[in-house]
Amino acid sequence: MPENVIIIGSGPAGMTAAIYAARANLNPLLIEGFQAGGMPGGQLMTTSAVENFPGFPDGVDGQELMARMRKQAENHGTRLKMEDVTAVDLAGHPYKVISSNNETYESKALIIATGATARRLPIDSEAAFWNKGISACAVCDGGLPIFRNKELAVIGGGDSAVEEATHLTQFGSKVYLVHRRGTLRASKIMQKRAVEHPKIEILWNKTVAEFVGAEVLSGLKLKDTQTGEISKLAVAGCFEAIGHIPNTAFLKNQLEADEAGYLTTKADSTQSSKEGVYACGDVQDSKYRQAVSAAGTGCMAAIEAERWLQEKDLLDH
Ligand code: NDP
């Protein structure tokens, strides 16, 4: 017997979809992921204090928030499997979902909530200093003792880079914003924030040629993108904020996506390019990328899946 709905992904979007689908008596199966696309629970698992999720006036630890959502999904009857989805087959119906345990599941509806992964600089020396001075999350790691009162760097020129740089000024003595072009991509208000901040210095037209250090990172070799000149910058920490990649590899282009790879959905809906397949959370959202907006679209996906199953008379009576 095929499942009514399989939810792929266990961040706020997937867990909220599961809570709603379970409460609608759809008996959902949620495949949490194991290694692909980061850890089960999603990006909040690497965040300490979440201060903007409604209902927690004093903030909540990211892992605790996800543990609570998972428990809530389970309490309402969601079945959870901790394995990766390696492929789906959307050519026929019911849809097929293949997991890393070589299981093939069939489902009438699918909810894709696999999130996005922080993009990393493709430089050999980067891996050597990952978590030894290099991070992709200032909010998660910026307060660590190794970064306190030290000079730090942020790579990127978008809103995230400016936000990370501004956040890091609380801890570092100075923050260099290293950008590969001569203008920032960030919104005007964020640009102003970076330019006017006394602790932030923008290094224009520079890319990282190499990360240097012994046990931990001690600096960067920068290459000027206009002259090719190499310079050194001594920093104790480097935070990459060069965008995210939506976790869609397992779909193998069976669903429509935008230029950056984010799944496209119909206006005011989580309906993907295939009927009965819904996309929610960061895998379809390059704009807001918040836990609460992911949860909101997870709720939409479950309601839309239920309505579609009803309309098509696909539910057992
Ligand atoms: P963006 O894609 O907007 O920016 C990525 C930045 O990284 C760009 O400046 C890009 O350079 C640079 N970059 C990409 N690849 C490399 C590379 N290999 N080497 C060096 N630099 C590189 O991503 P963001 O995460 O900043 O933002 C994503 C979305 O989220 C945006 O829509 C943004 O507005 C939104 N957002 C909003 C926030 C807010 O409003 N508070 C906060 C954070 C994000 P280049 O400019 O040359 O392409």
Side-chain angles (χ1 to χ4, degrees):
M1 282 288 284
E3 302 285 342
N4 291 321
V5 59
I6 291 181
I7 299 158
I8 308 173
S10 54
M15 286 302 172
T16 306
I19 292 163
Y20 274 78
R23 287 175 52 77
N25 283 336
L26 296 180
N27 188 24
L29 174 67
L30 186 146
I31 303 184
E32 292 185 85
F34 181 55
Q35 284 179 312
M39 63 178 78
Q43 296 179 74
L44 279 191
M45 298 297 283
T46 58
T47 305
S48 47
V50 181
E51 293 178 339
N52 51 12
F53 199 89
F56 297 91
D58 303 317
V60 57
D61 178 82
Q63 294 194 3
E64 189 194 333
L65 180 58
M66 286 324 302
R68 283 170 177 250
M69 286 192 203
R70 189 178 188 278
K71 186 95 187 82
Q72 195 173 354
E74 251 185 331
N75 286 351
H76 289 294
T78 306
R79 291 162 297 135
L80 297 145
K81 294 228 175 222
M82 197 175 281
E83 55 198 31
D84 288 324
V85 170
T86 52
V88 295
D89 182 351
L90 307 179
H93 195 264
Y95 301 125
K96 289 194 175 68
V97 174
I98 297 117
S99 82
S100 47
N101 294 358
N102 281 328
E103 295 268 3
T104 299
Y105 304 96
E106 290 192 327
S107 187
K108 299 168 197 168
L110 284 182
I111 294 178
I112 316 284
T114 44
T117 307
R119 186 179 280 139
R120 292 180 48 182
L121 287 169
I123 302 172
D124 287 346
S125 49
E126 196 249 24
F129 296 108
W130 185 253
N131 281 337
K132 295 176 183 168
I134 303 179
S135 161
C137 181
V139 176
C140 325
D141 301 327
L144 293 174
I146 55 166
F147 300 129
R148 298 251 170 185
N149 301 313
K150 302 279 171 52
E151 298 205 344
L152 306 171
V154 174
I155 315 298
D159 281 329
S160 298
V162 174
E163 205 167 67
E164 300 252 303
T166 311
H167 180 77
L168 287 170
T169 58
Q170 299 173 70
F171 313 109
S173 54
K174 176 165 188 166
V175 180
Y176 296 97
L177 186 59
V178 179
H179 183 37
R180 62 184 177 183
R181 292 187 297 121
T183 50
L184 293 174
R185 179 179 294 279
S187 53
K188 291 279 178 275
I189 188 162
M190 298 291 269
Q191 292 193 24
K192 191 165 180 281
R193 203 174 288 175
V195 169
E196 291 180 357
H197 201 293
K199 275 182 152 184
I200 296 178
E201 181 180 337
I202 306 178
L203 302 180
W204 301 105
N205 302 314
K206 300 274 189 291
T207 54
V208 180
E210 196 184 332
F211 291 97
V212 290
E215 287 292 297
V216 294
L217 183 79
S218 63
L220 313 175
K221 272 190 191 162
L222 299 177
K223 183 177 181 180
D224 191 296
T225 53
Q226 301 203 312
T227 63
E229 187 188 326
I230 299 283
S231 56
K232 285 187 184 162
L233 183 71
V235 286
C238 181
F239 293 80
E240 296 176 33
I242 58 171
H244 286 76
I245 301 170
N247 298 321
T248 58
F250 68 99
L251 292 169
K252 302 191 173 71
N253 301 320
Q254 291 175 86
L255 295 177
E256 281 172 21
D258 67 13
E259 279 174 4
Y262 290 88
L263 297 182
T264 47
T265 50
K266 285 195 179 147
D268 301 325
S269 164
T270 60
Q271 161 82 64
S272 76
S273 55
K274 194 102 197 169
E275 75 164 347
V277 182
Y278 302 87
C280 53
D282 285 11
V283 74
Q284 54 85 54
D285 173 20
S286 63
K287 192 172 175 190
Y288 301 106
R289 303 189 300 124
Q290 299 300 303
V292 68
S293 51
T297 55
C299 158
M300 286 167 65
I303 291 175
E304 290 182 287
E306 187 207 357
R307 288 186 183 158
W308 179 78
L309 289 164
Q310 298 272 14
E311 267 166 38
K312 298 281 169 187
D313 203 17
L314 289 170
L315 293 175
D316 301 326
H317 299 288

